[in-house]
Amino acid sequence: MAQAIPSSLLELIYLVIEQIPAGQVSTYGEIAQIVGRGSDGRMVGTALSNLPKARQQEVPWQRVINREGLISTGSARQRELLQAEGVPFDAQGRVILARCRWRGPSPEWAAQYMVQTLAEREEGEQLSLF
DNA sequence: GAATTGACGGGGC
DNA sequence: AGCCCCGCCAATT
């Protein structure tokens, strides 16, 4: 088995974010949904705002954006990193979530760390193809 | 220990 | 689309 389940909520949040593949993104709310344990989007935001400098190299913080597809920090640096990974943006500068949203951890991984998987999105989430 | 803050989200208008 | 209010709760002060 890989590593132990983090005892601290912040560490677990970091661990989940580390699972997001390059080129894909997730939202604060979804990370919280996966982590469970009563966490919510704000906590994920708090966790990232407190992300130690040392961890910035292992936690892909840039792949977590808000539900609007906007970069909450307004950081140009964050956008550059995402574009470099191939994350699609629309003309309004919003990430096209319909095309690069992370589907969440595999059932196996989720079971191993006792976290949740994302519910299937049956909605016809507008495939804003323009 | 109490009050405040916040890289959020959903719902109502 | 935009705006406002409210809940949620760890971290900070």
Side-chain angles (χ1 to χ4, degrees):
Chain A
M1 309 188 289
Q3 39 188 303
I5 297 172
S7 54
S8 131
L9 187 57
L10 259 56
E11 289 303 321
L12 182 57
I13 288 174
Y14 296 150
L15 183 61
V16 170
I17 294 175
E18 284 176 40
Q19 310 310 307
I20 307 173
Q24 286 182 45
V25 299
S26 191
T27 65
Y28 297 95
E30 288 194 326
I31 294 299
Q33 192 185 313
I34 293 166
V35 170
R37 295 176 175 59
S39 64
D40 64 6
R42 281 193 119 103
M43 267 173 262
V44 175
T46 299
L48 286 178
S49 68
N50 292 319
L51 181 62
K53 189 83 159 56
R55 303 256 190 198
Q56 290 184 17
Q57 298 168 56
E58 49 189 81
V59 180
W61 56 275
Q62 74 273 23
R63 297 180 194 141
V64 184
I65 59 181
N66 64 34
R67 66 165 179 183
E68 313 260 329
L70 295 170
I71 280 101
S72 297
T73 59
S75 155
R77 169 68 179 154
Q78 183 170 5
R79 177 168 171 162
E80 288 169 16
L81 289 171
L82 293 177
Q83 292 187 311
E85 297 182 357
V87 172
F89 282 79
D90 65 15
Q92 306 163 59
R94 299 181 320 163
V95 169
I96 303 175
L97 286 169
R99 292 194 200 161
C100 60
R101 185 196 286 285
W102 179 43
R103 301 294 189 168
S106 69
E108 295 74 26
W109 194 91
Q112 183 180 347
Y113 292 99
M114 299 189 2
V115 295
Q116 312 301 124
T117 51
L118 291 179
E120 290 300 326
R121 291 176 166 272
E122 80 289 300
E123 35 60 35
E125 188 167 5
Q126 87 267 348
L127 308 176
S128 59
L129 299 174
F130 263 80

